[in-house]
Amino acid sequence: KTQLTSLAVNVTKPIDGSDSEVKFDKDGMSDTESKVDSGGPEVPVAPDDTPVVLNKALSGLSSRWKNWWVRGILTLAMISFFFIIIYLGPMVLMMIVLGVQIKCFQEIITIGYSVYHSYHLPWFRTLSWYFLLCVNYFFYGETVTDYFFTLVQREEPLRILSKYHRFISFALYLTGFCMFVLSLVKKHYRLQFYMFGWTHVTLLIVVTQSHLIIHNLFEGMIWFIVPISCVICNDIMAYMFGFFFGRTPLIKLSPKKTWEGFIGGLFSTIVFGILLSYVMASYRYFVCPVEFNNDSNSFQVDCEPSDLFQLQDYTLPSVLESLTGWTTVRLYPFQIHSIALSSFASIVGPFGGFFASGFKRAFKIKDFANTIPGHGGIMDRFDCQYLMATFVNVYIASFIRGPNPTKVIQQLLALRADQQLLIFNSLKNHLTEKGLLPVLEEVNA
């Protein structure tokens, strides 16, 4: 009882006996709460790395408008870079995704290392990067085997690696696991297991979801570009509406987020998604999946567009008909799906950013890194993108993707001759029982 009373006095009254009040920071947390919640040393604050040219050009502006111009200029630069890598094709995009993944992983692991570096934990960073290598080997091997089966079967080394891929991946991970156990230090068991969990959660958030981005890309570049563009559009428009019209705070984790920005970003992103989908759906380069061509010995993006990318007439509801005077509209079916993508990017996508904000507040840092002036680190720009990628992958699997005859034929051709003959006879009997085979024979005749 005496200890609890003493603790209460210490919390409410300074040690020197004065009657001054407990101070609160800008986030509404008292100094005592901040110390209790810290859980360890704070991460050093990164210095301002805004280019000197921009600092001189914007020196006469207030900090609010200076930040606005810095963010705007760097945003236009990033969008221009995005256009360039789209022009270079899907394989370059895949390499860019890998690079972004590695940088995001490095930023999160660096935070962990900065917090706990004083404990001199052995092998922490080495094992973290080793596990990143193992997980990437597993995921990229699965992707190559799944999407480029013909190429894998044609090359003997690839065929061997594909056959034993999961066993090799498990052996690599098991090696890292044993190295971690051997690195345990008696005085720091709990802390080392904390960091082991830190690494694996980072792998789950960053590597797994970046792998889903690549899967979306191979389904057709439109499934990669439209979701990413919707998140970018929502981020920009929410910032613009919030900057000029924001009055009502949205969430405590991000005090600068407002309801005005949230609602303005939602409607702007839906309109943007519909317009962008209309433009991209008319080009085979964007709608066709990435495939390997045996004849040209290269990857290609060429196909006969599916019904999803064919213009169709839709009857408008009576309410919209009375407002517009139109009875029907001509749209690509993908445009309707883009509404779902845009809505998710605007309503649920920002929660990826809120999650990242909570993470940063837990370690008293403003940004994950200072890679991009005015924007922070790469992870600060991709916190919503990873959540969006998972949704798109689930959406495609649930509502879009059907059986793929090309993949089935590729797998059949890899079988032995007796297995192929068995499947042929089974399929022939099945079609005969359904009465389809005589019809096919008459057509061929």
Side-chain angles (χ1 to χ4, degrees):
K1 183 176 180 180
T2 303
Q3 291 175 344
L4 290 175
T5 305
S6 175
L7 177 61
V9 171
N10 289 333
V11 170
T12 57
K13 190 174 182 178
I15 297 175
D16 61 6
S18 65
D19 295 327
S20 58
E21 296 179 354
V22 177
K23 295 181 179 180
F24 289 83
D25 63 15
K26 63 181 180 179
D27 300 327
M29 294 179 63
S30 68
D31 293 336
T32 306
E33 289 173 333
S34 298
K35 292 176 182 177
V36 171
D37 187 54
S38 62
E42 295 182 7
V43 180
V45 179
D48 179 20
D49 65 338
T50 304
V52 178
V53 177
L54 286 179
N55 273 328
K56 289 183 178 179
L58 305 174
S59 59
L61 299 177
S62 65
S63 59
R64 182 170 182 262
W65 280 99
K66 178 183 176 181
N67 183 61
W68 191 88
W69 278 104
V70 170
R71 286 176 65 94
I73 293 171
L74 269 297
T75 296
L76 291 176
M78 287 188 289
I79 291 175
S80 301
F81 178 70
F82 186 54
F83 283 140
I84 292 174
I85 61 176
I86 289 173
Y87 174 77
L88 294 176
M91 302 312 294
V92 175
L93 278 173
M94 186 179 72
M95 293 296 104
I96 293 295
V97 170
L98 176 61
V100 168
Q101 173 217 114
I102 293 174
K103 187 63 176 70
C104 290
F105 182 84
Q106 180 266 332
E107 290 176 359
I108 299 177
I109 290 299
T110 299
I111 292 174
Y113 183 74
S114 299
V115 171
Y116 296 107
H117 71 283
S118 59
Y119 294 95
H120 303 291
L121 298 180
W123 296 98
F124 168 57
R125 285 194 296 184
T126 302
L127 284 175
S128 296
W129 287 103
Y130 178 79
F131 282 126
L132 176 68
L133 176 65
C134 294
V135 174
N136 270 309
Y137 174 80
F138 172 75
F139 279 129
Y140 275 87
E142 292 284 310
T143 299
V144 170
T145 302
D146 187 29
Y147 285 92
F148 308 118
F149 186 79
T150 304
L151 174 63
V152 170
Q153 292 300 315
R154 195 182 65 180
E155 302 293 336
E156 182 65 22
L158 291 179
R159 186 162 63 248
I160 295 174
L161 288 174
S162 174
K163 183 177 181 180
Y164 302 105
H165 172 68
R166 296 195 175 186
F167 180 81
I168 296 173
S169 301
F170 178 72
L172 289 173
Y173 177 83
L174 202 59
T175 301
F177 178 81
C178 294
M179 290 170 63
F180 167 74
V181 173
L182 293 174
S183 71
L184 290 173
V185 178
K186 186 176 182 180
K187 294 182 180 180
H188 301 306
Y189 286 156
R190 180 180 297 180
L191 190 57
Q192 285 183 281
F193 277 101
Y194 282 159
M195 301 314 297
F196 185 76
W198 180 293
T199 300
H200 281 67
V201 171
T202 304
L203 292 172
L204 176 65
I205 294 175
V206 176
V207 181
T208 304
Q209 296 188 84
S210 65
H211 170 69
L212 297 181
I213 292 178
I214 295 175
H215 267 219
N216 300 340
L217 172 62
F218 284 153
E219 292 293 331
M221 291 180 65
I222 196 169
W223 291 105
F224 171 85
I225 297 172
V226 169
I228 285 182
S229 300
C230 285
V231 172
I232 294 173
C233 175
N234 179 256
D235 192 35
I236 294 173
M237 298 310 297
Y239 178 77
M240 297 290 286
F241 275 93
F243 186 87
F244 291 107
F245 309 109
R247 296 292 183 272
T248 312
L250 177 63
I251 187 171
K252 289 183 179 179
L253 279 174
S254 295
K256 294 183 179 180
K257 298 289 193 300
T258 62
W259 276 104
E260 290 81 3
F262 182 79
I263 296 172
L266 169 63
F267 286 104
S268 301
T269 304
I270 291 176
V271 173
F272 171 80
I274 292 174
L275 296 177
L276 179 63
S277 299
Y278 181 82
V279 173
M280 296 186 66
S282 59
Y283 294 94
R284 294 188 178 187
Y285 179 73
F286 295 122
V287 303
C288 291
V290 181
E291 296 178 344
F292 182 79
N293 191 320
N294 282 317
D295 299 329
S296 61
N297 199 30
S298 63
F299 296 100
Q300 67 174 18
V301 184
D302 188 26
C303 66
E304 186 63 33
S306 64
D307 293 339
L308 196 62
F309 306 105
Q310 302 286 349
L311 283 170
Q312 298 181 21
D313 292 324
Y314 292 91
T315 304
L316 288 176
S318 56
V319 177
L320 294 179
E321 184 179 345
S322 61
L323 291 175
T324 61
W326 302 337
T327 56
T328 60
V329 291
R330 195 165 177 79
L331 299 171
Y332 292 101
F334 182 80
Q335 288 180 272
I336 299 174
H337 292 290
S338 74
I339 297 175
L341 301 180
S342 302
S343 299
F344 184 91
S346 304
I347 298 173
V348 183
F351 280 85
F354 300 153
F355 176 86
S357 296
F359 181 88
K360 289 182 286 187
R361 286 178 182 278
F363 293 96
K364 306 294 187 295
I365 57 175
K366 180 183 177 182
D367 299 309
F368 283 97
N370 57 353
T371 309
I372 311 171
H375 292 268
I378 299 297
M379 190 64 198
D380 291 286
R381 293 298 89 209
F382 279 81
D383 47 12
C384 301
Q385 296 288 3
Y386 286 130
L387 187 62
M388 186 71 191
T390 304
F391 171 74
V392 174
N393 191 269
V394 172
Y395 190 89
I396 292 174
S398 302
F399 304 109
I400 305 299
R401 186 189 295 134
N404 190 333
T406 303
K407 289 185 177 180
V408 174
I409 292 175
Q410 290 175 351
Q411 292 175 348
L412 288 176
L413 294 177
L415 299 176
R416 300 192 309 270
D418 59 322
Q419 294 173 324
Q420 294 177 356
L421 188 60
L422 178 62
I423 293 175
F424 170 77
N425 291 327
S426 299
L427 183 60
K428 180 180 177 182
N429 294 333
H430 176 73
L431 294 175
T432 303
E433 291 175 359
K434 283 197 168 186
L436 296 175
L437 194 58
V439 175
L440 294 176
E441 290 176 350
E442 290 176 5
V443 171
N444 293 333

